[in-house]
């Protein structure tokens, strides 16, 4: 299963990071980069934790839950990349975290139909309900199976709200990037 594969991959990476032969060229190469660039193992684990979340969770009740997922699958990648690029500092971390959240939220909006086809809804259920939609109505709207004018208007409001949320993270990332450039 996917979860078993992730556990095996995590074991290979940890073995390689700690200098044991993993027998896997990719995990050995990743471990080499992680050691040379001093990428904290906790960040690599965070990315794998995010991938594991996808094996056991198909819905997010609140944005707080979704944000945690986004941090793991996107922000932790950005934070790891800072070590590769040799960039550090609070503004760099703020940039990486917010850009990761912005990009993941953008993916979630863009991929809603594909995700629904896989029985996944990443848009927080609290946001769907706050717009007066049920999860079933949301699914029908994403699939373009509903043409109810009121529901379509609510759906557009929801998408605009989620888009603005993503833009807020883009703006925060840009502000941090500008501080890095100025410093």
């Amino acid at each position: 299963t996917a979860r078993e594969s992730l556990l095996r991959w995590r074991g290979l990476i940890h073995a390689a990071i700690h200098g044991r032969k993993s027998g896997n060229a990719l995990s050995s190469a990743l471990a080499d980069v992680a050691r040379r660039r001093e990428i904290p193992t906790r960040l690599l684990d965070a990315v794998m934790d995010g991938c594991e979340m996808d094996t056991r969770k198909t819905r997010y009740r609140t944005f707080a839950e979704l944000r945690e997922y986004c941090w793991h699958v996107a922000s932790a990648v950005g934070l790891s990349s800072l070590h590769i690029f040799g960039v550090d500092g609070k503004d760099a971390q703020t940039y990486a975290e917010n850009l990761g959240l912005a990009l993941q939220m953008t993916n979630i909006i863009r991929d809603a139909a594909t995700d629904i086809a896989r029985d996944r809804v990443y848009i927080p259920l609290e946001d769907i309900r706050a717009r007066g939609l049920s999860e079933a109505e949301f699914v029908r709207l994403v699939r373009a199976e509903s043409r109810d004018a009121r529901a379509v208007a609510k759906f557009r409001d929801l998408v605009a709200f989620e888009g603005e949320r993503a833009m807020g993270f883009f703006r925060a990332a840009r502000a941090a990037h500008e501080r890095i450039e100025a410093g």
Side-chain angles (χ1 to χ4, degrees):
T1 67
R3 189 164 190 268
E4 290 167 345
S5 294
L6 285 167
L7 289 172
R8 192 169 39 257
W9 181 239
R10 188 186 303 255
L12 290 171
I13 291 170
H14 279 254
I17 285 173
H18 296 295
R20 296 187 303 274
K21 296 282 184 194
S22 70
N24 180 287
L26 188 56
S27 66
S28 295
L30 175 61
D32 179 57
V33 170
R35 278 193 308 273
R36 284 187 295 112
R37 297 298 186 175
E38 299 178 358
I39 301 171
T41 304
R42 69 175 173 75
L43 289 176
L44 300 176
D45 282 333
V47 174
M48 289 183 280
D49 290 344
C51 294
E52 189 177 338
M53 287 177 191
D54 269 331
T55 69
R56 59 177 201 266
K57 193 165 188 147
T58 61
R59 306 287 189 276
Y60 290 86
R61 289 178 300 120
T62 66
F63 179 67
E65 287 180 5
L66 180 65
R67 184 182 178 130
E68 179 184 354
Y69 166 76
C70 292
W71 186 91
H72 282 82
V73 299
S75 296
V77 173
L79 291 166
S80 297
S81 297
L82 294 178
H83 292 271
I84 293 168
F85 299 134
V87 179
D88 62 5
K90 184 175 176 7
D91 287 327
Q93 291 175 353
T94 299
Y95 171 73
E97 288 180 349
N98 281 289
L99 186 59
L101 292 169
L103 293 170
Q104 192 63 33
M105 286 302 302
T106 300
N107 289 347
I108 286 167
I109 296 165
R110 181 198 66 206
D111 296 342
T114 304
D115 292 331
I116 285 172
R118 295 175 32 220
D119 190 34
R120 296 180 180 282
V121 175
Y122 288 95
I123 301 290
L125 297 176
E126 71 180 358
D127 295 349
I128 293 168
R129 291 184 184 118
R131 303 298 167 305
L133 295 168
S134 69
E135 181 184 333
E137 286 173 304
F138 172 77
V139 168
R140 283 192 301 276
L141 288 159
V142 170
R143 290 180 176 161
E145 295 171 353
S146 173
R147 303 224 188 283
D148 176 80
R150 282 189 215 164
V152 169
K154 292 174 183 179
F155 179 75
R156 285 182 178 152
D157 181 54
L158 173 64
V159 173
F161 174 79
E162 300 300 343
E164 182 52 37
R165 177 178 272 158
M167 289 304 298
F169 291 122
F170 277 117
R171 285 190 291 274
R174 178 184 293 160
H177 187 265
E178 288 172 357
R179 289 190 302 272
I180 294 167
E181 292 291 309

